[in-house]
């Protein structure tokens, strides 16, 4: 067990009365509640993590938050999780982690944790609970608005949690007391909700914000059962206040990746919030005032500060105060130009800078094991930018700040470059009040005078950015810009040397900014480096890369929530489903429906089962569950007129008691759907649609009724699920129907093809029986209420038993319909096929207008050489061609040397036909109707298969089977 | 996600709606009277403006009724929604919320985040 020998004796927001044990890379360590894995590592003197991804260089903890590029963990657990920054993982007892070289492992173990979602509406959403966010939430709450405040940290307070007492006035404690009081007031407000451990990662149109809440991750084995591990919040807010703070930038110099080089603000966080000294002897390198707060707090904590190295030519007021108070030497107009150490830092080289920022003069060495760097600050503009909010380069702040409005959003505090605490409080209060007022709640209380503690941290002040600090030997191969992707200035110089000027191009060329941290420490520095390399004076002239969601990584499991497994997509089952399962049906998915594909008997494969099922339908009797067909009841005085306008053929004069096959087209004249429609009464039709297109057809009908013909008296109602449809098919089907429906006169004269009859079945169930055939055989479809579906199915089986009735699935259905040249919309058609192309000119009325009719006389639609539906018979009588196979002319060369091969069309359906005793296919072939009897070539993989062109109706073209 | 105001149901999430393309493109009363070009323009040609665009939406998982919206295709702001047989409203200049006073006063050109 390693002692926490770097733990400071006092302070910090940790619970020293409880010791937590954990292992890291196999080492047993301890920490306290309130620690992150990173702070506990540092408390035990461990700064080094796994080596870098590509270069294998030693790396250490750099940051204290979501911007950490190096310290990535794989956490052990029931389902191990990888790529978690150690700076964001709260310590729990029994935690076991390994550090990663930039690449995690996806655990194949199913994740059994529960993830859920919540949807909330709020007047004001405040993102970030630092001083600005707390002030904003307080103001909006005070105005009476409903408020949601989210923050990624386990406790509210933001930067105030890291405030120190280096100035000896107790301002850090006072700041945290203020934050605690502000939080308590928000918790007490009835319509304000505070969500901690909640990262707002995506901002979308209409102030729709996604945030993920980590509910039990910090509890380890103590996580209660039945509580979701993470929760995805969908927040719709009238107003959004972005109080997301700012990220500190590192400095780019030779050897800047050595373990022991840390962001100055992170050092301050470790000292003050976690009571950890990340080193024993520190140098602070800065371009601005903010690092002096770190230096002061290090000094106060008893850490030797060997020097402060400041890029600015003159001692700032803050720097002078610090130097006077501590006696620490401050070098102005200077920079760290190199580092020393085997792995961990042992010293730095400091050189003076000339007016151009170039090192001048001799190097001085300082021994140290910690270098705290501050290259300036970048407001966390990610969420603003995700909404296409413009950014503007602010030269004084050396930062991109929000530069244009986003509807109903504001940035406040450091997120817009207001860094001093008094300014953040005022900014937040104003933003909160404005947001509440815009959401209908004016009258926020007047903001308080800035409290005395707010004078503590005054922010960076004047900045002299150093985008690229030349090394002592001219080498740029250890000037790291993106630590996680191991991208150096040398890499970037290759990119600009190859002619790239745009940050987007350099990013893609180098992979800079594409790692898990998404460039939080590297993005703006990279723009500064590109500017330096190209001689562009201001990063503002280059612009940033685009910020996209997610701001921080989100587990797919959290995005999926409960919508996994059986709940991922609804599964639709017919009333007869259990019977199919009992018969061992093999199912296929048709849209959301489960349909039996075939019913194998013991020892049968699909081909044998389908042959048997087809024979039963052609030679005896077979039955199929056709309940999944879309069914729409169409009612109203104008129903006939309406269908006449929708279908290519006439329905207005169809007599009640009869049915008709119809085709509907889109305005371009292409087939959209087909099916049989029954006329139940003068004002009532019963339409069937293809299984997969039922919802689209209902949409189509309603669209025309509402937008074009509102004067028509028509109502459409989906009744797909209300009916069970049993197709009874084959020469013996009449016998089955006679037994099943004894009240019905089933003679051909009394009950002709395309008629339907209402009757009561022998079992007492009311039924509508139609003579419809999708196979060419004598066939019936029995429609009953779905409540009786299973029973009637079994009654049908019983009635058919003497005739050997056989259940058949969709595969046999396909063979039977294709043998007759009946199309499947969406398989034999693809939105470019007219009824004439499909060989159905008879379905197109010449007498009336309908949707799409005018398109048939367009020159392109009227062409004679369009692709026509044809039947194809492979000449070898045995090759079953793949659907999608291309068709070419005979003698057409197929070699790379001969170049592109002219295609005539492709196969849309292909099966083995038991009736023909050979395989066959349907195909769309250019000018195919005029090629009957000719031989073409099907290109099936490497095989060139000769195929004879026929009419698409290959079985019983005379229609002798229809009436039994 | 857009917040779309159905003229019958009120504001609802975009995912409740189906999009229906350009509005105010009526089916010609007598298609046969049109020449090929006129018919092709009805069937195939639609505007693609940058700025206010009148378009059709349908409240698919709500009242299932069609309506029209005037939407700015550049900002995605929905400027108005109205019922099918109401006239297209004239696009009102949309009030942008007053931007908070900018920190600093120097403006550098070309700092837009872009949309690439």
């Amino acid at each position: 067990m390693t002692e926490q020998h770097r733990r400071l004796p006092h302070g910090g927001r940790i619970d020293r009365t409880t010791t937590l044990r954990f292992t890291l890379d196999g080492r047993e360590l301890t920490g306290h509640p309130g620690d992150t894995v990173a702070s506990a590592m540092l408390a035990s003197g461990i700064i080094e993590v796994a080596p870098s991804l590509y270069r294998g260089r030693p790396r250490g903890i750099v940051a204290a938050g979501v911007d950490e590029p190096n310290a990535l963990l794989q956490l052990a657990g029931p389902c191990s999780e990888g790529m978690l920054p150690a700076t964001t993982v709260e310590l729990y007892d029994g935690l076991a982690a390994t550090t990663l070289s930039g690449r995690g492992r996806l655990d194949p173990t199913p994740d059994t944790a529960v993830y859920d979602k919540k949807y909330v509406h709020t007047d004001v959403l405040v993102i970030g609970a630092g001083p600005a966010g707390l002030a904003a939430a307080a103001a909006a709450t005070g105005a009476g608005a409903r408020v949601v405040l989210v923050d990624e940290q386990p406790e509210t307070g933001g930067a105030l949690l890291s405030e120190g007492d280096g100035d000896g006035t107790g301002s850090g404690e006072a700041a945290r007391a203020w934050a605690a009081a502000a939080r308590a007031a928000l918790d007490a407000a009835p319509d304000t909700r505070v969500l901690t451990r909640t990262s707002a990662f995506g901002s979308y149109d209409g102030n729709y914000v996604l945030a993920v809440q980590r509910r039990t991750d910090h509890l380890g084995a103590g996580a209660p059962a039945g509580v979701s591990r993470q929760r995805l919040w969908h927040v719709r807010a009238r107003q959004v206040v972005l109080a997301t703070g700012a990220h500190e930038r590192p400095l780019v110099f030779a050897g800047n990746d050595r373990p022991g080089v840390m962001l100055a603000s992170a050092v301050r966080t470790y000292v003050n919030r976690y009571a950890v000294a990340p080193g024993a002897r520190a140098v602070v390198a800065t371009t601005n005032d903010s690092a002096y707060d770190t230096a002061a707090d290090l000094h106060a904590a008893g850490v030797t500060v060997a020097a402060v190295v400041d890029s600015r030519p003159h001692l700032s007021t803050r720097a002078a105060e610090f130097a006077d108070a501590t006696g620490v030497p401050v070098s102005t107009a200077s920079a760290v130009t190199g580092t020393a150490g085997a792995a961990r830092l042992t010293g730095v080289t400091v050189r003076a800078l000339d007016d151009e920022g170039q090192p001048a003069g001799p190097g001085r060495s300082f021994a140290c094991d910690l270098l705290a760097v501050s290259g300036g600050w970048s407001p966390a503009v990610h969420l603003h930018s995700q909404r296409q909010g413009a950014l503007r380069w602010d030269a004084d702040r050396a930062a991109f700040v929000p530069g244009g409005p986003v509807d109903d959003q504001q940035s406040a505090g450091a997120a817009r470059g207001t860094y001093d605490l008094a300014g953040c409080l005022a900014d937040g209060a104003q933003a909160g009040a404005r947001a509440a007022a815009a959401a209908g709640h004016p009258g926020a209380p007047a903001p308080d005078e800035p409290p005395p503690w707010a004078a503590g941290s005054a922010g960076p002040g004047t900045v002299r950015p150093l985008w690229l600090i030349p090394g002592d030997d001219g080498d740029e191969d250890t000037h790291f810009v993106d630590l996680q992707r191991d991208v150096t200035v040398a890499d970037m110089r290759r990119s600009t040397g190859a002619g790239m000027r745009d940050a987007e191009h350099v990013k893609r060329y180098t992979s800079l900014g594409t790692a898990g941290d998404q460039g939080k420490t590297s993005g703006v520095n990279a723009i500064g480096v590109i500017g330096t390399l190209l001689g562009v004076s201001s990063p503002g002239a280059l612009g940033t890369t685009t910020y996209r969601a997610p701001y921080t990584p989100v587990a797919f499991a959290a995005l999926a929530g409960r919508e996994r497994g059986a709940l991922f997509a609804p599964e639709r089952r017919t009333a007869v489903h259990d019977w199919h399962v009992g018969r061992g049906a093999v199912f296929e998915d048709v849209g959301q429906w489960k349909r039996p594909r075939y019913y194998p008997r013991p020892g049968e494969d699909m081909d044998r089962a389908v042959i048997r099922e087809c024979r039963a339908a052609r030679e005896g009797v077979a039955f199929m569950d056709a309940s999944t067909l879309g069914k729409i009841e169409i009612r109203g005085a104008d129903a006939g007129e309406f269908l006449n306008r929708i279908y290519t053929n006439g329905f207005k004069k169809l007599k009640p008691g009869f049915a008709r096959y119809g085709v509907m087209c889109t305005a371009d004249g292409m087939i959209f759907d087909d099916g049989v429609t029954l006329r139940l009464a003068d004002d009532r039709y019963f339409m069937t649609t293809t299984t997969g297109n039922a919802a689209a057809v209902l949409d189509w009908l309603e669209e025309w009724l509402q937008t074009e013909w509102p004067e028509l008296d028509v109502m459409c109602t989906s009744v797909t699920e209300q009916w069970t449809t049993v197709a009874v098919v084959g020469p013996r089907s009449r016998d089955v129907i006679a037994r099943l429906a004894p009240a019905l006169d089933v003679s051909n004269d009394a009950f002709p093809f395309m008629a339907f009859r209402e009757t009561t079945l022998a079992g007492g169930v009311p039924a509508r029986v139609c003579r419809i055939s999708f196979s060419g055989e004598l066939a019936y479809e029995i429609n009953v209420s779905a409540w009786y579906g299973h029973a009637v199915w079994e009654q049908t089986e019983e009635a058919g038993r003497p005739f050997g009735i056989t259940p058949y699935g969709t595969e046999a259905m396909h063979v039977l319909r294709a043998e007759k040249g009946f199309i499947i919309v969406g398989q034999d058609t693809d939105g470019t096929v007219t009824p004439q192309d499909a060989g159905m000119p008879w379905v197109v009325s010449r007498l009336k207008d309908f949707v799409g009719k005018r398109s048939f006389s367009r020159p392109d639609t009227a062409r004679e050489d369009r692709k026509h539906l044809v039947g194809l018979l492979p000449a070898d009588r045995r090759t079953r061609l793949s659907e999608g196979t291309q068709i070419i002319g005979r003698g057409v060369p197929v070699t790379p040397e001969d170049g592109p091969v002219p295609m005539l069309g492709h196969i849309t359906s292909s099966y083995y036909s038991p009736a023909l005793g050979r395989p066959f296919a349907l195909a769309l072939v250019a000018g195919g109707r005029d090629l009957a009897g000719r031989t073409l070539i099907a290109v099936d993989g490497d095989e060139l298969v000769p195929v004879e062109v026929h009419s698409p109706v290959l079985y019983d073209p005379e229609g002798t089977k229809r009436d039994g | 996600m857009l917040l779309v105001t159905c003229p019958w149901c009120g504001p609802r999430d975009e995912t409740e709606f189906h999009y229906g393309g350009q509005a105010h493109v009526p089916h010609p009363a007598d298609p046969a009277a049109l020449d090929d070009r006129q018919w092709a323009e009805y069937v195939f040609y639609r505007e693609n403006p940058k700025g206010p665009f009148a378009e059709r939406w349908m409240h698919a998982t709500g009242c299932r009724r069609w309506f029209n919206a005037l939407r700015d295709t550049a900002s995605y702001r929905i400027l108005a929604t109205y019922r099918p047989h109401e006239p297209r409203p004239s696009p009102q200049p949309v009030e942008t919320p007053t931007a908070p006073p900018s920190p600093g006063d120097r403006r550098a050109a070309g700092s837009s985040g872009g949309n690439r």
Side-chain angles (χ1 to χ4, degrees):
Chain A
M1 197 70 65
T2 309
E3 290 295 314
Q4 298 176 33
H5 62 279
R6 291 288 184 202
R7 185 75 72 182
L8 297 168
H10 308 290
R13 301 187 68 72
I14 50 165
D15 173 11
R16 293 171 195 261
T17 64
T18 303
T19 296
L20 305 175
R21 293 159 194 278
F22 71 108
T23 65
L24 182 90
D25 294 328
R27 296 172 70 176
E28 293 189 6
L29 302 171
T30 60
H32 297 298
D35 266 325
T36 62
V37 172
S39 68
M41 287 168 65
L42 291 169
S44 293
I46 300 169
I47 200 165
E48 201 172 333
V49 296
S52 71
L53 176 59
Y54 299 117
R55 301 273 298 267
R57 290 175 64 90
R59 288 290 163 80
I61 297 166
V62 166
V66 297
D67 46 345
E68 172 60 40
N70 286 337
L72 301 168
L73 300 181
Q74 182 89 28
L75 273 193
C79 180
S80 174
E81 191 170 5
M83 294 299 280
L84 300 169
T87 50
T88 66
V89 176
E90 291 178 62
L91 195 63
Y92 53 82
D93 198 55
L95 180 145
T98 49
T99 59
L100 297 169
S101 288
R103 186 183 295 143
R105 292 182 308 278
L106 190 61
D107 188 342
T109 310
D111 183 358
T112 55
V114 173
Y115 300 83
D116 63 10
K117 297 180 186 176
K118 273 215 168 195
Y119 295 79
V120 294
H121 295 255
T122 187
D123 290 325
V124 179
L125 169 66
V126 181
I127 300 172
L134 284 170
T141 298
R146 290 177 304 156
V147 176
V148 173
L149 172 64
V150 303
D151 191 278
E152 65 190 10
Q153 292 285 322
E155 54 178 331
T156 50
L160 300 181
L161 302 174
S162 301
E163 277 293 297
D165 293 309
D167 59 359
T169 63
S171 62
E173 278 312 303
R176 282 185 285 278
W178 176 86
R183 168 67 189 273
L186 295 175
D187 285 342
D191 287 328
T192 292
R193 186 192 325 241
V194 181
L195 298 171
T196 53
R197 298 188 176 93
T198 304
S199 303
F201 63 84
S203 182
Y204 305 92
D205 289 320
N207 274 353
Y208 200 86
V209 175
L210 293 185
V212 66
Q213 182 183 23
R214 292 165 294 278
R215 305 181 71 208
T216 65
D217 287 354
H218 60 292
L219 299 173
V227 174
S228 63
R229 178 185 172 214
Q230 295 183 357
R231 172 172 287 171
L232 189 64
W233 290 80
H234 292 246
V235 185
R236 175 80 78 176
R238 287 187 202 280
Q239 294 285 316
V240 169
V241 176
L242 301 175
T244 47
H247 295 137
E248 196 168 25
R249 298 191 293 260
L251 287 166
V252 179
F253 55 93
N256 64 342
D257 64 331
R258 199 177 291 284
V261 180
M262 296 179 71
L263 292 170
S265 59
V267 170
R268 192 173 189 224
T269 294
Y270 287 118
V271 170
N272 295 329
R273 179 169 171 189
Y274 299 107
V276 170
R281 184 178 165 86
V283 168
V284 176
T286 187
T287 60
N288 63 81
D289 273 348
S290 68
Y292 287 91
D293 296 336
T294 301
D297 290 344
L298 279 171
H299 182 81
V303 176
T304 304
V305 181
V308 176
V309 184
D310 194 325
S311 66
R312 297 171 297 178
H314 306 293
L315 215 54
S316 68
T317 309
R318 173 74 180 113
E321 273 173 21
F322 166 80
D324 287 348
T326 63
V328 170
V330 176
S331 303
T332 53
S334 298
V336 170
T337 59
T339 59
R344 178 154 188 171
L345 185 73
T346 57
V348 298
T349 306
V350 174
R351 294 180 71 190
L353 300 174
D354 65 17
D355 291 347
E356 304 300 316
Q358 299 298 307
R364 287 174 294 152
S365 294
F366 291 87
C368 61
D369 65 350
L370 177 67
L371 174 65
V373 295
S374 179
W377 291 82
S378 297
V381 294
H382 304 66
L383 296 176
H384 170 80
S385 181
Q386 282 181 24
R387 290 285 309 277
Q388 278 80 50
L391 300 177
R392 176 176 69 77
W393 178 254
D394 182 318
D396 287 344
R397 287 171 173 76
F400 287 102
V401 297
V406 171
D407 285 357
D408 303 318
Q409 287 204 4
Q410 309 168 67
S411 295
R416 71 179 193 106
T418 301
Y419 296 121
D420 64 297
L421 287 177
C424 284
L425 293 175
D427 218 23
Q430 279 174 30
R434 258 197 309 262
H441 298 275
D448 301 328
E449 286 296 304
W453 56 263
S457 285
T462 305
V463 187
R464 183 193 184 190
L466 297 175
W467 300 118
L468 171 53
I469 304 168
D472 298 331
D473 57 3
D475 203 352
E476 292 169 336
D477 198 37
T478 61
H479 283 66
F480 283 87
V481 181
D482 185 332
L483 291 164
Q484 203 172 346
R485 283 282 188 242
D486 265 348
V487 176
T488 64
V489 172
D491 297 321
M492 296 181 65
R493 196 181 280 281
R494 273 191 288 280
S495 174
T496 54
M500 287 162 221
R501 299 181 57 85
D502 193 304
E504 297 281 1
H505 292 153
V506 175
K507 171 180 175 177
R508 280 152 183 79
Y509 191 78
T510 59
S511 79
L512 191 152
T514 61
D517 60 353
Q518 288 285 288
K520 288 185 180 62
T521 52
S522 62
V524 176
N525 274 353
I527 293 163
V529 170
I530 294 169
T532 305
L533 296 181
L534 295 175
V536 175
S537 59
S538 163
L542 292 167
T544 67
T545 55
T546 304
Y547 293 92
R548 294 191 178 86
Y551 168 66
T552 46
V554 186
F556 279 109
L559 297 176
R562 306 278 178 130
E563 291 141 78
R564 306 165 61 170
L567 296 180
F568 174 65
E571 186 176 286
R572 300 176 80 182
R573 300 170 173 186
T574 74
V576 197
H577 185 83
D578 291 347
W579 189 94
H580 303 317
V581 172
R583 287 303 175 95
V586 175
F587 288 87
E588 74 167 331
D589 293 336
V590 182
Q592 293 167 331
W593 286 102
K594 291 284 175 195
R595 297 197 73 179
R597 192 172 188 195
Y598 57 100
Y599 300 82
R601 287 183 178 168
E604 274 185 346
D605 59 9
M606 182 169 95
D607 285 351
R608 285 167 181 276
V610 169
I611 289 170
R612 175 178 51 74
E613 291 172 13
C614 287
R615 288 218 166 104
R618 292 264 184 249
E619 296 165 15
V621 63
F623 68 144
M624 186 182 75
D625 183 0
S627 306
T628 63
L629 282 178
K631 308 175 198 75
I632 301 169
E633 205 167 303
I634 296 160
R635 205 163 179 165
D638 299 315
E641 171 62 25
F642 174 59
L643 291 184
N644 252 18
R645 298 183 192 182
I646 289 290
Y647 276 124
T648 60
N649 49 339
F651 278 79
K652 202 172 176 178
K653 293 175 185 165
L654 180 68
K655 292 193 185 77
F658 286 87
R660 184 167 289 166
Y661 171 76
V663 169
M664 56 182 83
C665 289
T666 39
D668 57 5
M670 303 302 154
I671 293 174
F672 168 62
D673 203 69
D674 70 346
V676 170
T677 288
L678 284 56
R679 188 164 204 173
L680 305 179
D682 282 343
D683 64 345
R684 229 177 130 199
Y685 290 81
F686 180 87
M687 173 186 284
T688 62
T689 75
T690 52
T691 294
N693 220 12
V697 171
L698 182 65
D699 283 357
W700 181 246
L701 302 180
E702 290 183 338
E703 178 180 340
W704 285 94
L705 282 171
Q706 291 182 36
T707 65
E708 294 291 343
W709 308 316
E711 71 280 4
L712 294 186
D713 172 20
V714 181
M715 283 293 291
C716 302
T717 306
S718 169
V719 293
T720 301
E721 313 235 331
Q722 276 64 40
W723 294 92
T724 291
T725 304
V726 182
V728 182
V729 177
R732 304 306 300 269
S733 59
R734 183 171 283 134
D735 302 311
V736 179
I737 297 299
R739 293 191 75 201
L740 188 63
L744 211 54
D745 181 349
V746 294
S747 69
N748 195 50
D749 291 341
F751 190 178
F753 183 61
M754 291 310 259
F756 70 89
R757 298 288 180 264
E758 307 280 352
T759 187
T760 299
L761 304 180
V765 175
R768 182 182 297 147
V769 182
C770 323
R771 266 199 65 193
I772 297 171
S773 179
F774 197 39
S775 60
E777 302 298 330
L778 174 69
Y780 299 82
E781 284 183 7
I782 306 160
N783 289 284
V784 297
S785 162
W787 295 111
Y788 303 122
H790 193 129
V792 168
W793 177 268
E794 289 184 336
Q795 290 164 18
T796 307
E797 184 190 25
E798 189 54 39
R801 200 179 299 280
F803 314 101
I805 196 166
T806 301
Y808 71 102
T810 52
E811 196 64 23
M813 175 196 80
H814 275 291
V815 175
L816 298 169
R817 64 91 196 167
E819 288 172 339
K820 286 290 291 178
F822 295 150
I823 60 166
I824 297 280
V825 172
Q827 176 171 339
D828 301 296
T829 72
D830 59 4
T832 68
V833 179
T834 66
Q836 297 89 336
D837 295 341
M840 296 189 284
W842 48 266
V843 88
V844 178
S845 168
R846 296 173 189 283
L847 303 175
K848 54 143 193 157
D849 195 18
F850 54 84
V851 175
K853 183 175 191 180
R854 174 64 182 80
S855 286
F856 296 142
S857 56
R858 292 182 59 239
D860 185 65
T861 320
R863 272 189 297 125
E864 286 301 313
D865 60 346
R866 288 179 62 82
K867 288 181 181 174
H868 302 146
L869 188 75
V870 296
L872 296 179
L873 291 173
D876 64 4
R877 302 184 68 92
R878 56 181 174 77
T879 303
R880 195 190 320 177
L881 295 161
S882 309
E883 288 167 358
T885 297
Q886 294 288 331
I887 305 297
I888 62 174
R890 262 176 116 176
V892 172
V894 185
T895 68
E897 294 73 33
D898 289 298
V901 181
M903 304 295 185
L904 297 179
H906 69 280
I907 289 177
T908 60
S909 295
S910 178
Y911 311 97
Y912 173 79
S913 166
L916 304 173
R918 62 190 294 183
F920 73 108
L922 298 177
L924 288 166
V925 174
R929 263 202 296 282
D930 304 320
L931 299 176
R934 303 265 289 274
T935 296
L936 301 174
I937 302 296
V939 186
D940 196 22
D942 291 334
E943 298 291 310
L944 299 181
V945 181
V947 290
E948 298 159 13
V949 180
H950 285 261
S951 146
V953 187
L954 291 164
Y955 173 79
D956 186 28
E958 302 80 19
T960 61
K961 306 280 187 178
R962 191 189 75 186
D963 296 329
Chain B
M1 175 164 29
L2 295 177
L3 189 65
V4 182
T5 301
C6 169
W8 287 278
C9 304
R12 296 290 189 278
D13 283 350
E14 182 183 350
T15 48
E16 293 190 13
F17 297 88
H18 278 182
Y19 183 69
Q22 185 178 342
H24 308 297
V25 185
H27 189 256
D30 183 8
L34 303 185
D35 65 23
D36 283 341
R37 182 187 179 87
Q38 290 168 323
W39 177 250
E41 277 174 1
Y42 164 70
V43 175
F44 299 113
Y45 285 75
R46 295 294 182 269
E47 288 168 25
N48 185 21
K50 181 177 182 180
F53 182 51
E55 58 193 18
R56 307 186 310 156
W57 289 78
M58 194 265 277
H59 195 183
T61 62
C63 65
R64 292 195 61 78
R65 285 203 257 189
W66 285 87
F67 61 91
N68 296 326
L70 198 61
R71 182 177 62 94
D72 187 313
T73 58
S75 69
Y76 282 19
R77 283 192 201 105
I78 292 182
L79 310 174
T81 55
Y82 53 103
R83 298 180 183 196
H85 301 286
E86 292 171 358
R88 170 184 163 146
S90 58
Q92 302 294 324
V94 173
E95 239 178 85
T96 47
T98 318
S102 302
D105 51 7
R106 285 190 213 168
R107 283 177 181 273
S111 65
S112 154
N115 186 20
R116 285 166 285 197

